[in-house]
Amino acid sequence: MKPKRLSSKYIFKNRWVRIREDQLQFSDGSVASWYIREVGAVGRIFCLTENGKIVLVRMYKPGAGKVVTEVPTGLVDKGESPKATAIRELYEETGYVVRPQDVQKLGVYEISPTGTEGKVHLFFVKGAIRKNDGQKNPHEEGTVELVSPATALRYARNGTIQAMGQVASVYIGLDHLGYFK
């Protein structure tokens, strides 16, 4: 069932992404090229403030060509754990801080297994406190939005949160809170 990889070569590489072309031979003998985007690991954190609000970020995303709403997320830097990434991204994007020992792992998920090699490490934390405006990357301008669980669910259902992985993260986070019981 698993095709045989005949060859693999990188056609593009930079700090954030690598794209490779794999020649795959399938069980019927046919050969096809598959283009795989390697992004590595991503840390994402479903965060509640000390007042029980969910922390979301609205920022421009070039792939979508518009401002989107999402849970704080970022690529894992070399030598960094996914948990440390999630905590760092929460602070950089929102200014909220948490105690690392309070952060719980909810799961590890494939980003998009057909054409992307990479995993999302989803974490949960409650009791976050806003320290300041964060350390925003000048190429990632965003605003913080604090919402109730009901509003987060509405955003996931009505398309305010548009990326499917982000929608799933909201549902998983709300489920962890017992929202659907």
Side-chain angles (χ1 to χ4, degrees), residues 10-180:
Y10 287 101
I11 57 176
F12 178 81
K13 291 183 192 181
N14 71 17
R15 178 180 168 207
W16 299 279
V17 69
R18 298 184 306 192
I19 299 174
R20 71 171 200 264
E21 178 183 8
D22 289 353
Q23 291 291 315
L24 302 178
Q25 183 176 32
F26 295 88
S27 59
D28 67 357
S30 64
V31 176
S33 290
W34 282 83
Y35 296 90
I36 309 298
R37 179 177 66 115
E38 296 178 4
V39 295
V42 172
R44 177 172 296 157
I45 192 160
F46 185 89
C47 174
L48 270 71
T49 67
E50 57 188 347
N51 298 325
K53 297 292 186 178
I54 297 166
V55 180
L56 299 177
V57 181
R58 294 181 40 79
M59 66 175 60
Y60 179 79
K61 296 293 182 172
K66 61 185 172 183
V67 173
V68 301
T69 303
E70 61 183 23
V71 176
T73 302
L75 290 174
V76 175
D77 288 339
K78 186 175 181 176
E80 185 178 49
S81 72
K83 180 179 179 178
T85 297
I87 293 167
R88 174 180 53 78
E89 288 291 331
L90 175 66
Y91 175 68
E92 286 178 359
E93 294 180 0
T94 70
Y96 277 88
V97 294
V98 296
R99 297 178 339 154
Q101 63 267 32
D102 293 339
V103 177
Q104 304 168 45
K105 190 166 209 165
L106 295 182
V108 181
Y109 307 93
E110 294 288 338
I111 291 173
S112 179
T114 300
T116 302
E117 187 177 291
K119 297 188 183 314
V120 173
H121 297 255
L122 179 60
F123 296 90
F124 170 85
V125 69
K126 61 183 176 179
I129 299 168
R130 187 138 194 211
K131 181 178 179 181
N132 56 36
D133 289 337
Q135 295 177 337
K136 304 233 187 313
N137 176 330
H139 303 131
E140 293 182 333
E141 297 176 3
T143 58
V144 176
E145 185 171 357
L146 304 177
V147 299
S148 67
T151 298
L153 181 59
R154 188 176 77 246
Y155 282 6
R157 287 180 171 164
N158 72 14
T160 299
I161 298 172
Q162 293 189 327
M164 193 63 223
Q166 290 283 345
V167 169
S169 295
V170 168
Y171 272 87
I172 293 165
L174 291 173
D175 184 57
H176 182 75
L177 287 172
Y179 189 78
F180 300 113

